[in-house]
Amino acid sequence: MKTNKPLILITNDDGISAPGLRALISVMAELGEIVVVAPDAPQSAMGHAITTNSTLYLNKISLEGDSFTEYSCSGTPVDCVKLAVNEILKRKPDLCVSGVNHGSNSSINVIYSGTMSAAVEAGIEGIPAIGFSLLDYDWNANFEPIKTFIKKIVLEVLENGLPQGVVLNVNFPKLEEKDIKGIRICRQAKAFWAEKFDKRKTPQGRDYYWLAGEFINQDKGEDTDEWALENNYISVVPVQFDLTAHHAIQNLNTRNWNE
Amino acid sequence: MKTNKPLILITNDDGISAPGLRALISVMAELGEIVVVAPDAPQSAMGHAITTNSTLYLNKISLEGDSFTEYSCSGTPVDCVKLAVNEILKRKPDLCVSGVNHGSNSSINVIYSGTMSAAVEAGIEGIPAIGFSLLDYDWNANFEPIKTFIKKIVLEVLENGLPQGVVLNVNFPKLEEKDIKGIRICRQAKAFWAEKFDKRKTPQGRDYYWLAGEFINQDKGEDTDEWALENNYISVVPVQFDLTAHHAIQNLNTRNWNE
């Protein structure tokens, strides 16, 4: 019975035509009824951007009789989730999966990532959600080695759900399937990008900048996502959207703000 | 001596010409040496977006002899902070302030906010940072009543710093100064936007959507930012960028991911 199948919303930030999205669709099609709503163009590094001051368009791509429903959207990854839930899906989905991103979203990258922001948005709306990323920025990256693991993770989440207010950030090392050691629950490593801007001149002589930079991991903890990935594990970080630094409240309450 | 003054980076997401930015500049000019780097156009709701696939421009607006240095930037609020720190400032600033935003960034709004993402970016780079927002979306909002409080908060942070990995999300109720009861340290309320899209047709007959929606606060806690603001207090939420849901790690480790 089609109605007994879980309803799975699929999105990404590399855009509707990205091979990573196609790989995710191929795995999800085995597990449930799927609806794809993805940006009509690449939206990497869009973070949790939403379109409030402009219009949004949806284009239905799938045809009558296709095995799943597919839309492209003119907005950001977060817009895709909002439009899918409010305008496309007939009921709240059982799961939202985002990716597979072409490139890492481990450690601090989670905060810049459109892939993860789409998953977080689903989480805010009460939908269990997972973002998947492969440590290979190549458009022609090989997603075959990770398909079995994606399926395993999704089945576990479909069966047992996720803790309230938590979505998963899953990163895969760039390895053959046989060389992947397994799945590890991790915390986000303390890392940052040491920015360098490449300063250039336009043909008209005006200065412009390209963002470049070097990833610096300061965190040697073996419970981090960076450690797991460097040691051939798949990292799974539970991510929350209550950003309160609860541990800092005591310190701040000792100060004299009102004097 | 000019060199003894704290160096303060000022940015926002409403753009270089926003009255909220001008209000913040007027307060900061009394407290330190200031450098302004703000988007050349409004960038609200940009979240933690960065420009990785395109070029960035900086335009110096201040002239030789002006009392402070000011640039507009073609990128997002986070781009502004990165460019300021790497290309404009001669040393790491002592403080980064962002805003004053025209409109609330309390509770879940923190995650969509360009104002707060700029502050978070500064925090990631190890700079004490504060985002300020006034609960008034009007371009002609009155920022006079909150200036004394901004000064008080900034002086406290300049003197005593902030806990590591923490930036402040400060929201002001829309009130006369005499009606503001004081400053409260809070946690982020559990709230969300119940989206509604306004579906319209272009003059050519194509469907498009405007994001609308209703803010729903589910959290009655008197320690929340929403409670503080409704009760005429200024809310100060410590915000972190380690997004790990540490409390969920035990639960996830009880599961059979590798079987």
Side-chain angles (χ1 to χ4, degrees):
Chain A
M1 283 268 297
K2 199 178 180 186
T3 47
N4 286 338
K5 281 185 168 181
L7 178 61
I8 303 174
L9 171 64
I10 309 180
T11 189
N12 78 342
D13 77 349
D14 290 316
I16 192 81
S17 57
L21 179 69
R22 296 295 132 190
L24 191 52
I25 290 170
S26 76
V27 180
M28 292 302 123
E30 296 174 33
L31 305 180
E33 181 187 348
I34 64 176
V35 175
V36 178
V37 184
D40 59 13
Q43 292 272 349
S44 288
M46 280 305 281
H48 214 93
I50 50 174
T51 304
T52 54
N53 294 325
S54 188
T55 53
L56 290 166
Y57 292 91
L58 281 174
N59 291 303
K60 191 167 183 179
I61 291 172
S62 52
L63 303 175
E64 206 63 45
D66 279 359
S67 61
F68 62 90
T69 307
E70 183 168 0
Y71 287 84
S72 73
C73 168
S74 62
T76 66
V78 173
D79 291 330
C80 289
V81 172
K82 287 182 182 285
L83 274 167
V85 170
N86 289 281
E87 297 293 324
I88 297 171
L89 297 172
K90 290 195 180 70
R91 64 178 180 91
K92 197 172 186 172
D94 300 294
L95 181 71
C96 172
V97 289
S98 180
V100 178
N101 192 61
H102 294 239
S104 172
N105 281 317
S106 63
S107 69
I108 197 65
N109 298 302
V110 66
I111 217 163
Y112 304 101
S113 161
T115 302
M116 279 309 299
S117 292
V120 166
E121 179 61 30
I124 292 171
E125 305 200 16
I127 302 159
I130 313 170
F132 294 105
S133 307
L134 173 64
L135 270 63
D136 187 344
Y137 290 90
D138 197 328
W139 189 257
N140 300 310
N142 180 15
F143 294 94
E144 287 306 319
I146 67 173
K147 285 186 171 179
T148 312
F149 296 104
I150 291 176
K151 193 167 173 179
K152 203 179 279 191
I153 292 166
V154 166
L155 284 172
E156 165 61 36
V157 171
L158 282 173
E159 192 173 330
N160 295 313
L162 286 173
Q164 218 204 342
V166 170
V167 303
L168 298 185
N169 181 15
V170 179
N171 282 267
F172 297 96
K174 183 185 170 183
L175 291 171
E176 290 303 316
E177 185 174 345
K178 66 175 172 46
D179 297 324
I180 296 178
K181 284 195 193 153
I183 295 164
R184 274 174 82 102
I185 308 300
C186 306
R187 64 174 175 84
Q188 175 186 325
K190 182 170 165 55
F192 68 101
W193 285 89
E195 259 77 47
K196 282 175 198 137
F197 285 90
D198 197 353
K199 190 173 178 179
R200 302 180 179 190
K201 276 198 193 296
T202 67
Q204 293 75 30
R206 186 176 172 200
D207 287 333
Y208 68 97
Y209 300 86
W210 278 106
L211 179 59
E214 187 190 354
F215 180 71
I216 313 261
N217 179 20
Q218 307 161 294
D219 190 337
K220 294 175 191 72
E222 297 192 2
D223 55 350
T224 64
D225 49 1
E226 291 303 321
W227 188 94
L229 291 161
E230 278 163 25
N231 288 276
N232 303 349
Y233 288 96
I234 296 161
S235 67
V236 176
V237 176
V239 167
Q240 63 187 356
F241 36 89
D242 174 5
L243 306 189
T244 312
H246 291 277
H247 65 278
I249 285 181
Q250 276 192 332
N251 170 307
L252 294 176
N253 268 323
T254 62
R255 304 190 185 189
N256 301 318
W257 301 100
N258 290 304
E259 275 161 29
Chain B
M1 282 268 298
K2 199 178 180 186
T3 46
N4 286 338
K5 279 186 169 181
L7 179 60
I8 303 174
L9 171 63
I10 309 180
T11 189
N12 78 342
D13 76 350
D14 291 315
I16 192 83
S17 58
L21 179 69
R22 295 295 132 189
L24 191 54
I25 290 170
S26 75
V27 180
M28 292 303 122
E30 297 174 32
L31 305 180
E33 181 189 349
I34 65 177
V35 175
V36 179
V37 184
D40 59 13
Q43 292 272 350
S44 288
M46 282 304 282
H48 214 93
I50 51 174
T51 304
T52 54
N53 294 325
S54 187
T55 54
L56 289 166
Y57 292 91
L58 280 174
N59 292 303
K60 191 166 184 179
I61 291 172
S62 52
L63 302 175
E64 205 64 46
D66 279 358
S67 60
F68 62 91
T69 307
E70 183 168 0
Y71 287 84
S72 73
C73 168
S74 62
T76 66
V78 173
D79 292 329
C80 289
V81 172
K82 287 181 182 287
L83 273 166
V85 170
N86 289 283
E87 296 293 323
I88 297 171
L89 298 171
K90 292 198 178 67
R91 64 177 179 92
K92 197 173 186 174
D94 300 292
L95 181 71
C96 173
V97 289
S98 180
V100 179
N101 192 60
H102 293 240
S104 172
N105 281 317
S106 62
S107 69
I108 197 65
N109 297 302
V110 66
I111 218 163
Y112 304 101
S113 162
T115 302
M116 279 309 300
S117 292
V120 166
E121 180 61 31
I124 293 170
E125 304 198 18
I127 302 159
I130 314 171
F132 293 105
S133 307
L134 173 64
L135 270 63
D136 188 344
Y137 290 90
D138 196 330
W139 188 257
N140 299 309
N142 180 16
F143 294 95
E144 287 307 318
I146 67 174
K147 286 185 171 178
T148 312
F149 297 104
I150 291 175
K151 194 168 172 176
K152 203 180 278 191
I153 293 166
V154 166
L155 284 172
E156 165 60 37
V157 171
L158 282 173
E159 192 174 331
N160 295 312
L162 286 173
Q164 217 205 344
V166 170
V167 303
L168 299 185
N169 181 16
V170 179
N171 281 266
F172 297 96
K174 183 186 170 183
L175 291 170
E176 290 302 315
E177 185 173 344
K178 67 175 172 42
D179 297 324
I180 296 178
K181 284 194 192 155
I183 295 164
R184 273 175 81 101
I185 309 300
C186 307
R187 64 174 175 83
Q188 174 186 326
K190 180 170 166 54
F192 68 101
W193 285 88
E195 259 76 48
K196 282 176 196 134
F197 284 91
D198 198 352
K199 191 173 177 180
R200 303 181 179 188
K201 277 198 192 297
T202 67
Q204 294 75 32
R206 186 176 172 200
D207 287 334
Y208 69 96
Y209 299 87
W210 277 105
L211 179 59
E214 187 190 357
F215 181 72
I216 312 262
N217 178 21
Q218 307 159 293
D219 190 337
K220 294 172 191 73
E222 297 192 1
D223 55 349
T224 64
D225 50 2
E226 292 303 321
W227 187 93
L229 292 162
E230 279 162 25
N231 288 275
N232 302 348
Y233 288 96
I234 296 161
S235 67
V236 176
V237 176
V239 167
Q240 63 188 354
F241 37 89
D242 174 4
L243 305 189
T244 312
H246 290 277
H247 65 280
I249 286 180
Q250 276 191 332
N251 170 306
L252 294 175
N253 269 324
T254 63
R255 304 190 184 189
N256 301 317
W257 302 99
N258 290 306
E259 277 163 27

